[in-house]
């Protein structure tokens, strides 16, 4: 099986770097305080959670899937951590294990339905989005938990002091470690080649020997695990376990991935582009917040930037001669794939 790195990724990432530079210039002209180092580091506190989930969502979309349940998994993980504290006053480590375990179980549930039963990912995760949110609301019973010990807040509210005065949020190294692992897995491992192969043509990948079901199961399990981790960091940051945590987070994460060059039809995209998408969206939102632009105005600007990015990508692919028709892809033609032997 050959390498499936798309040829135009570097061009797309150059375009993203240009868009990021334009965003920073525009935002700093609007609010010069945006470029202060303390503001940039403080901004990172707010994008770690969506960044963790985006690093898991990007490979899923590249493989031709989608996970709409990530926001609900965040909410359910936060609620189970709150219940663990309310019922048992568990220490921080146990609370984290509860949150991560909840996310992993939810992701495994999605993966089994998509990979083993071969149900459409859109339908499965749309259903589990409602299921997991309903469980969170039922277990939470509209009673937020907020009387955690101070050790719960370290991960989301404390700082590392670097060079004697630079305050780095404690959750930022977590994102950097997951970023490195995701880059290695997607771009320097056999697993990554399988992901691109499945996204290009699932049937051909299966005939070439790719363990399609196991790869999909691993991707959705990782997505659930990262959603659980994001929930733990969210709880530590806001200090309250509420059932509505993570509401609409799936839309933010998908926006980041698409803006970062991940093709919604599968087979294209990479981790660096996804991170550039995260930085563009976060810079835009932070700058507009500093400029006191209303929430509705922020969403309008974000939508316009996403449309602009879509046009630029289309022009880049058109010039590179890589625009291809959707019809004829075996993954979309409705025929049943041969049974996955040995999986």
């Amino acid at each position: 099986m050959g390498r499936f790195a798309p040829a135009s990724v570097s061009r797309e990432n150059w375009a993203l770097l240009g868009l990021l530079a334009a965003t920073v210039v525009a935002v700093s002209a609007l609010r010069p305080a945006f470029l202060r180092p303390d503001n940039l580091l403080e901004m990172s506190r707010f994008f770690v959670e969506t960044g963790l989930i985006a690093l898991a969502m990007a490979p899923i979309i590249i493989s031709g899937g989608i996970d709409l349940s990530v926001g609900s998994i965040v909410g359910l993980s936060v609620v189970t951590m709150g219940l663990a504290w309310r019922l048992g006053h568990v220490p921080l480590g146990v609370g984290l294990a509860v949150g991560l375990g909840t996310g992993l179980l939810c992701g495994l549930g999605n993966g089994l339905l998509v990979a083993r039963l071969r149900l459409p990912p859109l339908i499965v995760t749309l259903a589990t989005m409602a299921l997991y949110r309903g469980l969170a609301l039922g277990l939470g019973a509209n009673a937020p938990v907020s009387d955690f010990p101070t050790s719960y807040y370290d991960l989301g509210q404390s700082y590392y002091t670097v060079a004697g005065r630079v305050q780095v949020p404690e959750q930022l190294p977590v994102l950097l470690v997951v970023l490195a692992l995701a880059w290695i897995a997607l771009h320097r491992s056999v697993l990554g080649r399988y992901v691109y192969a499945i996204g290009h043509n699932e049937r051909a990948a299966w005939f070439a020997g790719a363990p399609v079901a196991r790869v999909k199961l691993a991707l959705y399990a990782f997505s659930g695990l990262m959603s659980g981790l994001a929930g733990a960091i969210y709880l530590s940051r806001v200090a309250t376990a509420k059932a509505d945590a993570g509401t609409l987070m799936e839309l933010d994460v998908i926006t980041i991935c698409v803006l970062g060059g991940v093709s919604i039809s599968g087979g294209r995209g990479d981790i660096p582009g996804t991170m550039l998408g995260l930085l563009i969206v976060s810079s835009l939102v932070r700058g507009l917040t500093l400029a006191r632009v209303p929430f509705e105005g922020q969403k309008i600007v974000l939508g316009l930037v996403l449309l602009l990015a879509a046009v630029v990508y289309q022009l880049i692919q058109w010039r590179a001669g890589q625009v291809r028709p959707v019809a004829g892809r075996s993954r979309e033609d409705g025929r049943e794939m041969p049974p996955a032997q040995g999986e």
Side-chain angles (χ1 to χ4, degrees):
M1 183 176 300
R3 188 181 179 87
F4 290 90
S8 62
V9 164
S10 59
R11 296 180 182 178
E12 293 173 349
N13 286 349
W14 276 115
L16 284 172
L17 281 170
L19 184 58
L20 176 60
T23 302
V24 170
V25 169
V27 169
S28 58
L30 199 61
R31 293 291 297 179
F34 175 80
L35 287 178
R36 289 171 50 185
D38 58 340
N39 175 68
L40 296 177
L41 286 171
E42 187 66 14
M43 182 178 72
S44 69
R45 289 184 60 225
F46 298 96
F47 67 58
V48 166
E49 294 139 28
T50 51
L52 287 171
I53 302 176
L55 287 171
M57 181 72 80
I60 288 179
I61 299 178
I62 292 172
S63 73
I66 193 78
D67 188 351
L68 298 177
S69 67
V70 290
S72 298
I73 296 176
V74 170
L76 185 56
S77 299
V78 167
V79 166
T80 56
M81 288 186 65
L83 288 176
W85 168 248
R86 176 185 290 171
L87 299 177
H89 288 265
V90 298
L92 175 61
V94 176
L96 282 173
V98 170
L100 295 178
T102 301
L104 180 60
L105 286 176
C106 292
L108 283 172
N110 288 337
L112 288 172
L113 292 171
V114 171
R116 294 300 180 185
L117 299 184
R118 293 176 182 162
L119 299 177
L122 180 65
I123 303 300
V124 168
T125 57
L126 188 62
T128 55
M129 177 177 68
L131 172 64
Y132 298 151
R133 182 64 68 186
L135 287 173
L137 292 171
L139 293 173
N142 297 321
V145 180
S146 57
D147 56 339
F148 296 101
T150 55
S151 59
Y152 260 74
Y153 308 141
D154 289 343
L155 184 59
Q157 300 183 14
S158 298
Y159 298 86
Y160 294 112
T161 301
V162 179
R165 60 177 181 176
V166 179
Q167 299 289 307
V168 178
E170 279 200 12
Q171 60 265 58
L172 185 57
V174 177
L175 177 65
L176 297 179
V177 170
V178 176
L179 168 62
L181 294 176
W183 183 84
I184 292 172
L186 190 60
H187 301 297
R188 289 293 184 272
S189 76
V190 176
L191 174 64
R193 296 183 183 184
Y194 287 152
V195 170
Y196 281 106
I198 294 170
H200 273 285
N201 191 317
E202 184 174 323
R203 186 187 300 273
W206 184 86
F207 278 116
V212 175
R214 287 202 295 269
V215 170
K216 287 185 176 181
L217 182 61
L219 292 179
Y220 284 95
F222 182 61
S223 176
L225 183 64
M226 288 302 100
S227 300
L229 179 57
I233 294 175
Y234 172 88
L235 174 58
S236 180
R237 181 168 62 83
V238 304
T240 303
K242 299 187 297 182
D244 63 351
T247 300
L248 297 182
M249 186 177 282
E250 60 276 356
L251 297 183
D252 293 337
V253 172
I254 292 172
T255 298
I256 288 168
C257 291
V258 173
L259 183 61
V262 178
S263 172
I264 204 71
S265 59
R268 296 178 61 84
D270 57 20
I271 294 300
T274 303
M275 288 296 97
L276 286 171
L278 174 66
L279 292 177
I280 291 170
V281 171
S282 301
S283 300
L284 203 55
V285 171
R286 181 69 173 175
L288 294 175
T289 301
L290 288 175
R292 302 183 185 280
V293 175
F295 178 78
E296 297 81 2
Q298 295 182 20
K299 292 301 180 184
I300 291 173
V301 173
L302 199 59
L304 291 175
V305 171
L306 188 58
L307 284 176
L308 176 63
V311 172
V312 171
Y313 291 148
Q314 192 68 13
L315 289 175
I316 290 174
Q317 294 177 23
W318 176 71
R319 294 194 61 178
Q322 294 183 358
V323 176
R324 54 185 181 179
V326 175
R329 292 168 64 103
S330 62
R331 182 167 49 79
E332 299 176 351
D333 62 8
R335 290 179 294 169
E336 185 177 357
M337 196 174 66
Q341 299 175 355
E343 294 184 22

